[in-house]
Amino acid sequence: MSTNKIDANKWVDRYSDYLFNFTIVRVNDRELANDLISETFLAGLKSMKNFKGESTERTWLISILKRKIIDHYRKSNSKKGKAEIKIQYNDDSNEGDWLEENAPDRFDKTAEDVMENEELGEAILACMEQLNEKQAKIFKMKTIEGFDTEAICNEFNITPSNLWVIIHRARTTLAQCLEKNWF
Amino acid sequence: MSKKSTLLIDCSEAGHCCDKNQYKEASVTEKLKMLLHLIYCKKCRKYSSHNSKLTELINQADIKTCPEEQKKMWKKEIEKEITNS
């Protein structure tokens, strides 16, 4: 079996969107998500020697990140002492924002569709790793961030027909990758 | 080629129109030509339905990406850490 190798210089290009999306649905705060990912990268660099290459780099980084997220909730929980302090509890809807609800069980939310959408987002971003860096970047700008064709062409110094060729390849690859589980 | 563009297009052009249509950037003529092509081309019908499904899934997933500046900062942090160790 071929083992996976670490290439830390590529982490940001390859995985940062995946890690970010993973974090933001769990902590719902951009600043905090950025901090947790920074910590994850640094922890990853420190423990690179322990990486056996049995999992993919991404899985390994995610396992570090998960621990960081759990640690974060643990800390914020213990700071508040008894966790059941209400912050914005709302009687009308059943979406009471109890800290208790916010804190411990982020990994098994009850709302099934929310969970499915999280998984879907992760699946799409994972499939994007099959694209090369430039393709992935252009596809994300166009499709997820919604930039104009013109703006992207200027940034990458390509013609619109170049752009559409890249988009076409990316869409074909992604559709194939997602077909089995999601179509 | 005559000045008047033909209504019949090949698969690659149909695919191109279909891609543009996913971003609502296809013109009415392009859409028409594509629909006409889809009537008799099974392969493109499949591509078209997959393509729409992909758009739907991406919308549904509501993916959040992080801004470039943040990525640059992470890159710097990592580089610094690598050179220091």
Side-chain angles (χ1 to χ4, degrees), chain B residues 9 21 29-40:
Chain B
I9 52 175
N21 200 27
T29 346
E30 280 172 324
K31 274 192 234 175
L32 252 170
K33 286 181 188 173
M34 180 183 79
L35 289 174
L36 191 64
H37 181 87
L38 292 186
I39 293 173
Y40 59 85

Side-chain angles (χ1 to χ4, degrees), chain A residues 8-9 11-13 16-17 20-21 24 30 33-34 37-38 41-42 45-46 116-117 120-121 124-125 128 137 139-140 142-145 149 164 167-168 170-172 174-175 178-179 182-183, chain B residues 11-12 15-16 18-23 25 46-47 49-68 70-79 81-82 85:
Chain A
N9 287 312
W11 283 353
V12 176
D13 284 328
S16 58
D17 283 321
F20 185 77
N21 192 61
I24 202 79
R30 282 178 171 262
N34 289 342
I37 294 168
S38 286
F41 284 145
L42 295 182
L45 289 170
K46 286 207 182 94
E116 202 178 279
N117 286 351
L120 173 60
I124 293 171
L125 288 167
M128 276 187 206
K137 231 175 188 170
F139 182 78
K140 276 180 208 163
K142 181 83 187 133
T143 316
I144 296 168
E145 289 147 20
T149 303
W164 286 111
I167 295 289
H168 184 77
R171 296 191 75 92
T172 314
L174 288 180
L178 292 166
E179 190 177 3
W182 295 95
F183 276 28
Chain B
C11 292
S12 79
H16 176 55
C18 179
D19 292 330
K20 275 174 121 177
N21 200 27
Q22 301 307 316
Y23 301 90
E25 286 178 37
K46 191 178 170 207
Y47 179 73
S49 87
H50 274 195
N51 218 359
S52 316
K53 182 71 189 170
L54 181 65
T55 301
E56 196 187 299
L57 287 178
I58 290 170
N59 289 338
Q60 191 191 327
D62 189 24
I63 293 168
K64 310 273 192 302
T65 54
C66 55
E68 279 302 308
Q70 181 60 46
K71 289 186 187 172
K72 278 185 194 136
M73 271 166 65
W74 283 329
K75 276 188 190 167
K76 268 190 205 144
E77 278 174 24
I78 291 174
E79 262 168 45
E81 196 64 25
I82 291 175
S85 60

Side-chain angles (χ1 to χ4, degrees), chain A:
Chain A
M1 200 185 119
S2 68
T3 50
N4 297 295
K5 288 226 172 61
I6 297 248
D7 186 355
N9 287 312
K10 297 269 182 216
W11 283 353
V12 176
D13 284 328
R14 284 190 186 147
Y15 311 117
S16 58
D17 283 321
Y18 187 99
L19 298 178
F20 185 77
N21 192 61
F22 185 94
T23 318
I24 202 79
V25 297
R26 287 166 174 83
V27 300
N28 201 20
D29 177 338
R30 282 178 171 262
E31 290 273 308
L32 176 60
N34 289 342
D35 290 346
L36 290 171
I37 294 168
S38 286
E39 284 176 31
T40 302
F41 284 145
L42 295 182
L45 289 170
K46 286 207 182 94
S47 57
M48 254 159 63
K49 288 172 236 101
N50 304 330
F51 180 73
K52 294 191 197 75
E54 283 158 4
S55 63
T56 63
E57 250 183 326
R58 170 165 46 76
T59 318
W60 178 70
L61 285 169
I62 283 287
S63 70
I64 300 174
L65 176 59
K66 273 185 187 165
R67 226 171 306 154
K68 297 283 172 202
I69 297 173
I70 293 171
D71 281 349
H72 160 73
Y73 278 115
R74 224 174 255 157
K75 260 185 240 158
S76 66
N77 232 359
S78 65
K79 254 187 231 158
K80 311 278 189 221
K82 299 270 182 288
E84 228 178 329
I85 295 166
K86 56 181 173 180
I87 43 170
Q88 290 184 326
Y89 192 72
N90 189 345
D91 247 346
D92 302 333
S93 71
N94 49 4
E95 292 178 322
D97 217 354
W98 290 83
L99 200 61
E100 184 81 320
E101 283 163 13
N102 268 333
D105 289 324
R106 296 300 284 188
F107 295 117
D108 50 81
K109 284 186 181 171
T110 41
E112 209 168 284
D113 51 341
V114 174
M115 210 167 81
E116 202 178 279
N117 286 351
E118 282 172 17
E119 272 173 36
L120 173 60
E122 280 150 28
I124 293 171
L125 288 167
C127 283
M128 276 187 206
E129 283 165 28
Q130 291 181 12
L131 310 173
N132 69 37
E133 255 163 55
K134 193 177 164 196
Q135 279 178 340
K137 231 175 188 170
I138 290 174
F139 182 78
K140 276 180 208 163
M141 279 179 85
K142 181 83 187 133
T143 316
I144 296 168
E145 289 147 20
F147 279 92
D148 284 346
T149 303
E150 205 190 328
I152 302 173
C153 288
N154 286 339
E155 176 155 346
F156 289 88
N157 199 16
I158 55 175
T159 65
S161 59
N162 292 152
L163 175 123
W164 286 111
V165 169
I166 292 171
I167 295 289
H168 184 77
R169 288 202 190 123
R171 296 191 75 92
T172 314
T173 309
L174 288 180
Q176 267 168 13
C177 176
L178 292 166
E179 190 177 3
K180 220 159 94 207
N181 293 322
W182 295 95
F183 276 28

